[in-house]
Amino acid sequence: MAERTFKVYRGSGDDGQLESYTIEVDQGMVVLDAIHRIQAEHAPDLAVRWNCKAGKCGSCSCEVNGRPRLTCMTRLSDYEEGESITVTPMKAFPVIKDLVADVSRAYRNNASIPRFRPRPRDAEDGWRMKQFEIERAQEMRKCIECFLCQDVCHVLRSHGKHAEFIGPTYLVRTAGYSLNPIDVEDRSAFLKESGGIGFCNITKCCTEVCPESISITDNAIIPLKERVVDRFYDPVKALVRLVRRR
Amino acid sequence: MESSVAVRDRGFGKTLRRDRWWVPPVSVALGLGLFGGYATWAVLQGGNYFADPYLSPLYSPCIAASCPEQIRLLGIEWWPFSPAILMMGVILGFRGTCYYYRKAYYRAYLLDPPACAVGEFRGDRYAGETRLPWVLQNLHRYFLYASIVIWLFLTYDTIHGFFFEDGFGVGVGSIVLLINLVLLSGYWFGCHSLRHLIGGDVDCYSCALAGKARHKAWKGVSWFNKRHMGWAWFSLVFVCMTDLYIRLVAMRVFEDPRLF
């Protein structure tokens, strides 16, 4: 068995520091396995959030060598043999303890999105729709709310615009509602004002880190931005709406 | 134990990333600088842009009175500068407000951010695209509309490139113009605004007028859109190379080989 050194963030808030642990590692281990071994052998009080170990619950999000990753899906073999691995909590969120971040703010953002509002039923047992027209919304439903996109988004991470911008996770949620063929709610005013979609400057980091490979920028954020343009920045569309209303 | 400074601190370049994260923004900055710089020079230069029957795509459509008679349109007499400047606003506006190029220059020139999970300069003053001048990015669809007109003229000029003094023929320049048109079309057809306007704004395709046709059109544009970055770069590089080729032929540095 080979040995590897891990530098793990220990502490609460911004007052923590990196602590080094050297452990024996086995073939096929992922970063979360290593964290568990550190817990078992060196630091039983090391706090880490995890659940499914299968990349589907989104609980074990951290930063591995500075990059937002699910620790359960990050293989040690992805790194050079002998290279130390740094594991830190998500930078865009306050730290509760060690690797556990406080993501409750994100849930408040979720609550602010105008709810799904279906059109009247087409049939007694519900609605009728074709598979091809629900596919765009289904892509958004793959989101596991791991918050890696919120973490890497520079609007939140570097500029701290948590109050003004709901972030990519909840733009994906909004797109999941708005692209649904039976939804009739107009969310463009919400997106422009309290959603703060204008803060996004399309740098695509959210798409790069998504473990579910959702094309967040191209398939969620830009289509929503274009809907905001339809409503607020396109005089021709405004004229068409006016004529239709009359 | 190590200091916490590098871990939670925010500031330009602060990161725990160990890869060469600075390579992509530096490459993009150099690439955009090189080809953007060449295109600007070529547009301002105002000469050697026509080698019968080839017109440089940077000068299409040629609408000033100073344009050669064979390709002159409108013949605007009050314009004393390079004829390409008249169209430059549309081209610059279309590429400048393009969702791909926005990512490229926000990262490469404004360093906002320089790369993912890397610290940057500005703090609380950041307003993204909510205020002037960046709120004007929302005008992208208008530049798209204007560029349709230029694309039509470019198509005409490409066809014109197959008609020599002795009739229809094919020169290397004709092929170069055709490739340029294909690349520019690929870039244009992958536009995010076009994708929205052609069908992306429809939620219920089975309820909308011509919904199925719009969904098919949306799927088609989505194919190009997935590769928008590639089309953006290839078309930018090739439009400069096309201009250079025609410029060198016009300057008689070499003859345009006639294939048949």
Side-chain angles (χ1 to χ4, degrees):
Chain A
M1 281 198 288
E3 282 196 337
R4 200 186 268 270
T5 299
F6 290 83
K7 295 177 178 178
V8 183
Y9 186 83
R10 300 300 310 271
S12 323
D14 287 346
D15 298 330
Q17 58 269 314
L18 292 176
E19 197 159 330
S20 293
Y21 302 95
T22 302
I23 56 166
E24 289 191 335
V25 293
D26 307 318
Q27 202 174 11
M29 275 176 79
V30 293
V31 171
L32 184 58
D33 292 327
I35 296 294
H36 284 158
R37 187 161 287 177
I38 291 168
Q39 261 183 338
E41 296 176 0
H42 298 282
D45 62 336
L46 171 61
V48 57
R49 187 184 280 134
W50 67 284
N51 195 350
C52 75
K53 275 194 77 181
K56 287 295 164 195
C57 72
S59 303
C60 64
S61 302
C62 283
E63 298 191 7
V64 182
N65 284 358
R67 305 191 86 146
R69 309 287 298 258
L70 292 179
T71 53
C72 73
M73 300 304 286
T74 308
R75 289 183 172 275
L76 300 187
S77 56
D78 292 347
Y79 301 90
E80 293 286 321
E81 217 169 293
E83 177 190 1
S84 67
I85 295 176
T86 304
V87 188
T88 52
M90 290 191 287
K91 200 167 186 172
F93 296 92
V95 178
I96 297 173
K97 184 176 186 298
D98 304 334
L99 300 178
V100 178
D102 178 5
V103 295
S104 55
R105 187 161 47 197
Y107 292 112
R108 287 197 292 278
N109 286 346
N110 185 30
S112 71
I113 303 170
R115 301 291 90 189
F116 182 75
R117 187 159 66 89
R119 65 174 187 242
R121 288 169 180 242
D122 310 325
E124 270 186 23
D125 58 345
W127 293 267
R128 297 286 181 266
M129 64 181 84
K130 302 271 172 37
Q131 176 57 35
F132 75 85
E133 53 188 355
I134 191 68
E135 278 167 359
R136 286 186 301 167
Q138 280 177 333
E139 183 187 4
M140 307 305 145
R141 300 295 295 179
K142 291 196 299 181
C143 175
I144 58 173
E145 289 187 90
C146 60
F147 302 119
L148 292 178
C149 57
Q150 298 282 103
D151 181 43
V152 80
C153 175
H154 75 119
V155 180
L156 305 172
R157 182 187 182 94
S158 301
H159 301 296
K161 297 287 178 189
H162 297 276
E164 294 102 319
F165 179 53
I166 57 169
T169 302
Y170 294 109
L171 290 173
V172 167
R173 173 65 57 86
T174 309
Y177 293 156
S178 292
L179 299 174
N180 191 302
I182 65 170
D183 177 72
V184 292
E185 182 70 42
D186 181 359
R187 296 179 181 81
S188 44
F190 158 76
L191 285 165
K192 181 173 180 282
E193 302 303 334
S194 50
I197 197 169
F199 282 98
C200 170
N201 67 344
I202 319 290
T203 48
K204 286 202 169 184
C205 291
C206 49
T207 304
E208 286 182 23
V209 300
C210 180
E212 286 294 310
S213 304
I214 301 171
S215 294
I216 300 175
T217 319
D218 289 321
N219 291 349
I221 298 178
I222 294 174
L224 293 177
K225 269 185 172 263
E226 286 292 314
R227 287 172 185 227
V228 171
V229 175
D230 281 346
R231 172 87 184 272
F232 296 101
Y233 300 104
D234 189 335
V236 176
K237 287 248 178 184
L239 193 66
V240 170
R241 276 196 302 274
L242 192 71
V243 170
R244 276 189 182 167
R245 235 176 274 155
R246 290 191 175 176
Chain B
M1 287 194 185
E2 294 182 16
S3 157
S4 66
V5 172
V7 186
R8 303 291 293 174
D9 217 15
R10 290 161 174 81
F12 181 72
K14 288 275 167 64
T15 184
L16 290 173
R17 282 179 63 169
R18 296 175 190 173
D19 58 330
R20 287 185 288 175
W21 57 264
W22 46 270
V23 171
V26 168
S27 310
V28 168
L30 289 175
L32 282 182
L34 179 67
F35 293 104
Y38 174 83
T40 307
W41 171 81
V43 160
L44 296 175
Q45 203 261 346
N48 296 316
Y49 55 84
F50 180 67
D52 200 12
Y54 310 133
L55 172 66
S56 163
L58 294 174
Y59 283 76
S60 175
C62 208
I63 57 175
S66 58
C67 295
E69 197 180 337
Q70 300 95 314
I71 41 99
R72 188 189 306 141
L73 295 164
L74 298 180
I76 296 173
E77 288 188 3
W78 48 264
W79 185 257
F81 307 110
S82 165
I85 296 172
L86 286 166
M87 289 299 133
M88 197 59 185
V90 175
I91 305 298
L92 260 182
F94 186 51
R95 290 209 186 239
T97 59
C98 163
Y99 284 100
Y100 165 68
Y101 283 112
R102 273 144 83 169
K103 171 199 162 186
Y105 63 74
Y106 282 137
R107 282 199 193 188
Y109 291 126
L110 304 181
L111 307 173
D112 202 5
C116 302
V118 174
E120 48 195 274
F121 283 119
R122 291 189 299 173
D124 294 345
R125 284 180 303 142
Y126 175 82
E129 297 180 346
T130 61
R131 291 192 210 140
L132 282 171
W134 305 115
V135 72
L136 296 176
Q137 306 280 28
N138 291 312
L139 296 177
H140 185 52
R141 63 181 58 175
Y142 283 93
F143 289 112
L144 169 74
Y145 300 145
S147 71
I148 296 171
V149 179
I150 292 189
W151 182 79
L152 289 172
F153 282 113
L154 204 64
T155 306
Y156 171 81
D157 288 330
T158 302
I159 295 167
H160 188 264
F162 285 86
F163 289 90
F164 297 80
E165 277 182 0
D166 55 347
F168 181 80
V170 180
V172 170
S174 318
I175 305 291
V176 169
L177 279 174
L178 186 63
I179 295 171
N180 176 63
L181 180 68
V182 169
L183 292 173
L184 284 172
S185 303
Y187 172 59
W188 190 86
F189 279 111
C191 169
H192 288 86
S193 286
L194 178 68
R195 186 177 182 232
H196 171 75
L197 295 163
I198 212 159
D201 59 341
V202 178
D203 293 336
C204 178
Y205 290 105
S206 50
C207 321
L209 185 68
K212 276 194 176 175
R214 292 191 71 188
H215 182 261
K216 276 191 179 169
W218 175 82
K219 288 276 270 189
V221 172
S222 296
W223 186 88
F224 287 98
N225 181 263
K226 263 191 181 171
R227 298 151 183 86
H228 200 42
M229 182 180 84
W231 290 109
W233 274 105
F234 283 123
S235 63
L236 176 67
V237 171
F238 208 80
V239 82
C240 292
M241 288 172 66
T242 307
D243 177 86
L244 181 65
Y245 181 86
I246 293 169
R247 188 170 295 278
L248 293 176
V249 173
M251 291 165 71
R252 299 187 187 283
V253 174
F254 56 79
E255 286 279 311
D256 173 58
R258 182 84 177 263
L259 302 177
F260 60 85

